[in-house]
Amino acid sequence: MDKVFAGKKVGLALGGGGARGMAHIGVIKALEAAAIPIHAVAGTSVGALVGGWYALHGEVDSLADVVLGIKKRDMISSLNFYLRRDGMLFKNPAIEETVKDKIKNKQLKDCVMPFAAVATDVKSGEKVIIESGSLYEAIQASSAVPFVFKPASVGGRLLMDGGFVDPIPADVVKSMGADFVIAVDVTRDWTDISGGLPGLMDIPKMVDKVMEAIEYQIARDQLGAADIILHPAVIPFSWLDFYRSEEIIEAGARETRRNISKICRKAGYPPMPKSTFAKFIDFLSRD
């Protein structure tokens, strides 16, 4: 009789970071390839988009197909993005409409696994955990970056980006019943934001850095609920580098594969059998 492995309930906490959040797709794909089941997901900002998509469809390949088709010519310039304040990321609105059409009429109760999006109450500054209602509204609220996107009205509350209260919601997915929490941090480490007043062309870069600084400080103090934290190598990418999604997705997959043995061991799942080539590399790497 085959041995039955009763692993822990795995929860995924996906952080915000604009285009760098496409690394979440790679993380999920690598976990699936290693037969690590995901039982619950919580996300903030772009983490809510990827997490909500995965929780609804049970896969991220279809989302990857959309973002991998984005070219540099599809992107609005970073300066126009911040000055327009209409929430448009792409010159071609069909890109955003394609994503919206897949989720706009769905409710969180339609998800195949528990999902929660984290947002910030504009009036009180409180953390709001959205676990019911419209999936699209939950993602929209969690991703409503101030001065760029309009706050979203959900359940009678005006909500904005959840990065101000819980950038990587490991605590949330823990409260949803996860025994083993994998947190994915796609923020950068502290960045130097000194150097005097920025010029007009530097405003997008400065806003990006300020957001990173805020999220970095908050996340650093709130990741105690995570059992393992993945740090995909996404520092070279900017908030709007969606046209580089192939590289970013691979960064997420690569970081997950690097930690997969540890995840399997700690979560109680059997490691995937190694290929002959991988065994040969291990042999060459022995002390």
Side-chain angles (χ1 to χ4, degrees):
M1 178 182 289
D2 292 337
K3 185 175 181 179
V4 177
F5 288 87
K8 297 178 180 180
K9 290 184 178 179
V10 177
L12 204 53
L14 306 179
R20 294 191 294 272
M22 295 302 98
H24 299 321
I25 295 176
V27 170
I28 293 171
K29 290 170 70 69
L31 290 172
E32 288 181 332
I36 303 294
I38 300 170
H39 301 87
V41 185
T44 295
S45 199
V46 70
L49 169 61
V50 178
W53 187 286
Y54 180 61
L56 177 65
H57 300 290
E59 51 82 21
V60 287
D61 288 337
S62 52
L63 180 59
D65 288 342
V66 175
V67 298
L68 289 175
I70 297 172
K71 308 299 181 185
K72 189 172 184 178
R73 63 177 179 270
D74 296 320
M75 301 303 305
I76 293 173
S77 72
S78 58
L79 180 61
N80 284 334
F81 172 70
Y82 284 102
L83 292 181
R84 285 169 52 144
R85 297 179 60 184
D86 59 4
M88 291 297 294
L89 287 170
F90 310 105
K91 292 178 182 177
N92 181 1
I95 297 172
E96 290 177 57
E97 286 300 317
T98 298
V99 174
K100 183 178 178 180
D101 286 345
K102 295 288 186 180
I103 58 177
K104 66 179 180 181
N105 295 320
K106 301 297 183 180
Q107 302 291 306
L108 273 85
K109 66 181 181 181
D110 297 323
C111 292
V112 298
M113 67 187 72
F115 170 71
V118 176
T120 305
D121 188 298
V122 172
K123 295 182 179 180
S124 67
E126 295 176 336
K127 178 166 73 174
V128 179
I129 302 171
I130 308 172
E131 297 181 274
S132 61
S134 164
L135 175 61
Y136 177 72
E137 289 182 358
I139 294 171
Q140 187 180 38
S142 184
S143 308
V145 179
F147 310 116
V148 177
F149 299 97
K150 294 178 181 179
S153 179
V154 178
R157 306 178 79 169
L158 203 58
L159 306 178
M160 64 180 181
D161 194 290
F164 291 101
V165 287
D166 202 346
I168 310 166
D171 56 331
V172 175
V173 78
K174 191 84 169 181
S175 70
M176 294 165 67
D179 301 316
F180 185 83
V181 175
I182 302 171
V184 187
D185 181 4
V186 293
T187 62
R188 296 173 177 171
D189 289 345
W190 180 268
T191 343
D192 184 3
I193 57 174
S194 63
L197 295 174
L200 181 62
M201 297 303 294
D202 295 324
I203 289 175
K205 186 175 182 180
M206 179 62 76
V207 173
D208 195 18
K209 284 187 174 183
V210 169
M211 286 292 294
E212 288 170 1
I214 293 171
E215 293 188 359
Y216 170 71
Q217 290 298 318
I218 297 172
R220 190 172 60 172
D221 296 330
Q222 292 188 337
L223 281 172
D227 295 284
I228 189 167
I229 306 170
L230 302 180
H231 298 278
V234 292
I235 290 177
F237 305 101
S238 80
W239 205 85
L240 290 172
D241 278 351
F242 286 93
Y243 64 93
R244 301 179 69 184
S245 288
E246 183 173 6
E247 299 169 75
I248 299 172
I249 290 171
E250 177 53 31
R254 186 166 55 247
E255 170 69 358
T256 307
R257 291 193 295 265
R258 191 175 70 84
N259 287 276
I260 205 67
S261 295
K262 185 188 300 183
I263 293 171
C264 289
R265 183 176 69 253
K266 289 188 172 183
Y269 291 94
M272 293 293 289
K274 290 186 177 182
S275 66
T276 303
F277 178 74
K279 291 177 181 178
F280 178 66
I281 294 299
D282 287 346
F283 174 77
L284 294 178
S285 302
R286 290 190 306 176
D287 293 333

